[in-house]
């Protein structure tokens, strides 16, 4: 009698947070019984996002925390059938990649980079291409992300879409009676507000939003609040802008908030604004806002725009870096008739329904099938 051999998937990521747990929970449930899933934290000390310990607790899949120097040892102990590696920019990703090469283990690239994210260097692109060509498959975000991988040498039929998703049900199931999907954001107890969530770093271009808001809000009576939630290196600069434009009563700079508080923040907002001007590979806040039933205003440079936002249908788009264009969108959305707002929310919710956890699980499973196909 042939012994049962369990097949094993290793998902390697620098540091797991609630988004990753939700995706891997969904994947664990979608996998066939003869597959086992294990997550490897290749850099658990990474503090890019301030996730709490409670948000990072183990859930329904085996979670292995690995210090960078122990990654190879942990993989050798687990003996994965296929390894999923996060991109190429992290030293630990390249360490996992080298382990796979030495052990002839099939590997899948997880990447949401685009050619347009930043100015590319020919030499580094050549090295990146050599790296990408060693993978058996890839899971990426949208079509422009797939096109970039193709330009680096990955065959299109080996690329599967669905990397950047969130737990839509988590955000939609917590809608309050006065959430924005009713079309009456002004009925909430709090003062109406435009919402910006994300790290306070250069690429997000929060100064553009503050300037646009300052000019626009000074032209109307009883303007709504602008609420920026996050933290980071630009805190002092943003605070100086609040003083410069005399926005003490109108601009709130709110520290990083836990995952548990996000649904209410979205649901009570007029709209979520993401003004990024460069290197914004996707923008998961857009997924979250659409799932919560809140309209979005996004720049042309956000990676999710092409996949999720159709102007004046599922959301609103402005030209990245264009203050006048952003002001017009603030004006349009704030004074949007209730019936029009409801329709935008309806279409946005319909769009995001197809970009949820099942899409991620399907993309991973499809990439596994690709890996197991004979070469040639």
């Amino acid at each position: 009698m042939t012994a049962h051999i369990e097949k094993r998937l290793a998902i390697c990521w620098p540091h797991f947070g609630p988004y990753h747990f939700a995706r891997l929970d969904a994947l664990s449930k979608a996998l066939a019984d003869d597959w086992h899933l294990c997550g490897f934290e290749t850099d658990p000390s990474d503090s890019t996002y301030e996730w709490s310990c409670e948000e990072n607790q183990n859930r329904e899949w085996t979670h292995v925390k690995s210090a960078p120097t122990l990654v190879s040892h942990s993989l050798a102990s687990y003996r994965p059938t296929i390894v999923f590696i996060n991109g190429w920019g992290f030293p630990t990703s390249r360490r996992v990649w080298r382990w796979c090469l030495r052990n002839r283990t099939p590997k899948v690239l997880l990447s949401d980079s685009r050619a347009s994210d930043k100015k590319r260097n020919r030499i580094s692109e050549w090295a990146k291409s050599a790296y990408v060509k060693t993978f058996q498959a890839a899971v990426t975000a949208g079509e422009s992300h797939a096109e970039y991988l193709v330009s680096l040498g990955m065959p299109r039929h080996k690329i599967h879409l669905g990397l950047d998703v969130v737990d839509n049900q988590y955000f939609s199931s917590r809608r309050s009676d006065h959430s924005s999907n009713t079309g009456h954001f002004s009925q909430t107890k709090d003062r109406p507000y435009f919402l910006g969530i994300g790290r306070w770093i250069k690429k997000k271009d929060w100064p553009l939003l503050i300037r646009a808001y300052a000019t626009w809000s000074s032209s109307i009576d009883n303007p709504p609040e602008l609420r920026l939630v996050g933290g980071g290196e630009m805190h002092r600069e943003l605070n100086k802008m609040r003083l410069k434009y005399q926005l003490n009563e109108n601009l709130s700079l709110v520290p990083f908030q836990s995952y548990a508080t996000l649904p209410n923040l979205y649901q009570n907002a007029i709209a979520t604004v993401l003004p990024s001007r460069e290197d914004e590979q996707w923008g998961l806040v857009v997924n979250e806002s659409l799932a919560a039933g809140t309209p979005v205003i996004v720049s042309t440079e956000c990676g999710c725009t092409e996949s999720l936002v159709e102007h004046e249908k599922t959301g609103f788009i402005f030209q990245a870096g264009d203050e006048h264009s952003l002001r017009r969108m603030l004006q349009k959305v704030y004074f949007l008739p209730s019936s029009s707002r409801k329709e935008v929310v309806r279409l946005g919710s319909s769009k995001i329904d197809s970009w949820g956890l099942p899409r991620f699980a399907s993309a991973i499973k499809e990439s596994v099938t690709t890996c197991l196909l004979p070469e040639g």
Side-chain angles (χ1 to χ4, degrees):
M1 183 175 179
T2 304
H4 173 73
I5 300 177
E6 185 179 56
K7 292 171 285 190
R8 301 177 179 183
L9 294 185
I11 309 286
C12 298
W13 203 267
H15 183 44
F16 291 120
Y19 305 101
H20 310 100
F21 284 124
R23 294 171 192 169
L24 296 179
D25 282 349
L27 175 59
S28 179
K29 294 170 184 174
L31 288 173
D33 291 339
D34 58 345
W35 280 97
H36 183 269
L37 176 64
C38 185
F40 288 81
E41 277 194 330
T42 57
D43 189 6
S45 64
D46 178 57
S47 59
T48 302
Y49 299 97
E50 301 175 33
W51 291 312
S52 70
C53 293
E54 290 182 358
E55 292 168 339
N56 288 354
Q57 62 185 334
N58 185 18
R59 303 218 344 224
E60 298 182 22
W61 52 284
T62 302
H63 180 209
V64 177
K65 283 197 172 183
S66 304
T69 56
L70 299 177
V71 168
S72 296
H73 175 74
S74 297
L75 287 170
S77 297
Y78 183 61
R79 292 179 288 113
T81 308
I82 299 173
V83 177
F84 290 76
I85 303 175
N86 174 40
W88 43 72
F90 296 94
T92 50
S93 294
R94 296 191 292 273
R95 187 174 290 127
V96 172
W97 172 72
R98 287 192 291 270
W99 183 90
C100 290
L101 291 179
R102 288 196 304 270
N103 292 274
R104 298 183 179 181
T105 302
K107 52 204 173 299
V108 178
L109 178 64
L110 303 175
S111 170
D112 59 4
S113 293
R114 300 175 298 160
S116 61
D117 286 337
K118 61 180 70 173
K119 187 176 181 179
R120 301 294 179 180
N121 176 280
R122 188 166 64 178
I123 295 176
S124 62
E125 292 300 283
W126 175 84
K128 197 181 300 177
S129 176
Y131 175 84
V132 168
K133 289 176 181 177
T134 67
F135 284 80
Q136 283 67 47
V139 176
T140 190
E143 283 299 336
S144 62
H145 308 80
E147 290 170 6
Y148 183 43
L149 290 179
V150 169
S151 74
L152 293 173
M154 174 70 71
R156 182 61 183 86
H157 70 276
K158 294 186 176 183
I159 303 172
H160 308 279
L161 307 186
L163 180 60
D164 288 337
V165 302
V166 302
D167 185 352
N168 291 341
Q169 187 175 2
Y170 176 80
F171 292 93
S172 64
S173 64
R174 299 190 176 200
R175 289 179 182 170
S176 64
D177 292 338
H178 298 301
S179 65
S180 56
N181 67 316
T182 65
H184 297 288
F185 59 81
S186 60
Q187 291 182 3
T188 61
K189 294 180 181 179
D190 294 334
R191 178 184 175 189
Y193 59 89
F194 281 105
L195 177 66
I197 295 183
R199 291 175 292 157
W200 296 341
I201 56 178
K202 183 178 178 181
K203 76 174 186 178
K204 300 289 186 181
D205 209 2
W206 300 119
L208 176 77
L209 175 55
I210 292 175
R211 291 194 301 271
Y213 168 80
T215 303
W216 171 73
S217 62
S218 66
S219 68
I220 64 172
D221 295 328
N222 301 315
E225 177 189 356
L226 174 59
R227 190 175 299 183
L228 301 185
V229 178
E233 62 194 41
M234 295 187 71
H235 190 177
R236 180 176 295 181
E237 179 181 343
L238 300 184
N239 198 46
K240 285 182 178 179
M241 292 187 72
R242 177 168 59 179
L243 298 175
K244 175 182 177 180
Y245 292 106
Q246 299 181 339
L247 296 173
N248 290 339
E249 301 299 321
N250 291 340
L251 171 59
S252 295
L253 299 177
V254 183
F256 185 91
Q257 298 294 293
S258 71
Y259 190 64
T261 67
L262 294 182
N264 282 337
L265 278 172
Y266 286 118
Q267 291 157 12
N268 292 324
I270 302 164
T272 301
V273 187
L274 186 59
S276 306
R277 64 178 177 182
E278 61 182 12
D279 200 19
E280 185 66 82
Q281 288 94 338
W282 186 261
L284 289 175
V285 295
V286 175
N287 299 56
E288 295 170 347
S289 187
L290 292 176
T294 297
V296 295
I297 301 174
V298 298
S299 81
T300 51
E301 287 303 306
C302 295
C304 66
T305 301
E306 64 177 6
S307 299
L308 301 182
V309 186
E310 187 175 355
H311 187 51
E312 298 189 358
K313 291 187 177 180
T314 64
F316 301 85
I317 303 171
F318 70 94
Q319 184 63 42
D322 188 333
E323 183 181 326
H324 177 68
S325 176
L326 178 51
R327 283 203 308 268
R328 286 193 294 107
M329 289 305 102
L330 295 175
Q331 171 82 0
K332 186 176 189 66
V333 174
Y334 185 62
F335 290 106
L336 200 64
S338 176
S339 59
S340 299
R341 181 181 177 84
K342 287 181 179 179
E343 181 63 6
V344 169
V345 169
R346 185 187 71 80
L347 293 173
S349 297
S350 178
K351 169 62 73 173
I352 202 62
D353 280 348
S354 62
W355 287 84
L357 297 177
R359 191 181 190 103
F360 172 81
S362 294
I364 296 294
K365 290 173 66 178
E366 289 166 3
S367 70
V368 168
T369 299
T370 300
C371 274
L372 298 179
L373 290 174
E375 293 289 339

